[in-house]
Amino acid sequence: MYNNEVKDGQQVGFWLIDDKNNKSPLYFTLQKLFNAQNSFVSTRLQDRRPSPTCDEMKNFALQWLNKR
């Protein structure tokens, strides 16, 4: 999540939150996906359905991301 790669005093590599605590656009996308997945699971459990399988969660995430 945070960049832990520093070379010659400069931040290098990839991160979701930079050394100044600025969040990248991808951070917010993943946060929204996480919230959507939690709602998906909660709805299923409220409907007394079993927890989603790994494949169902994968398909949910792919469909959610394709709408963005």
Side-chain angles (χ1 to χ4, degrees), residues 22-36:
N22 296 314
K23 296 172 178 145
S24 71
L26 180 58
Y27 173 92
F28 294 107
T29 300
L30 293 174
Q31 184 181 51
K32 290 174 187 173
L33 173 59
F34 180 76
N35 291 337

Side-chain angles (χ1 to χ4, degrees), residues 33-48:
L33 173 59
F34 180 76
N35 291 337
Q37 288 173 316
N38 278 338
S39 294
F40 175 63
V41 172
S42 292
T43 299
R44 284 184 62 118
L45 295 177
Q46 286 173 358
D47 293 343
R48 300 198 184 278

Side-chain angles (χ1 to χ4, degrees), residues 26 29-30 33 59-68:
L26 180 58
T29 300
L30 293 174
L33 173 59
N59 290 334
F60 175 85
L62 290 173
Q63 288 175 11
W64 189 90
L65 289 166
N66 281 328
K67 292 178 184 177
R68 302 294 168 268

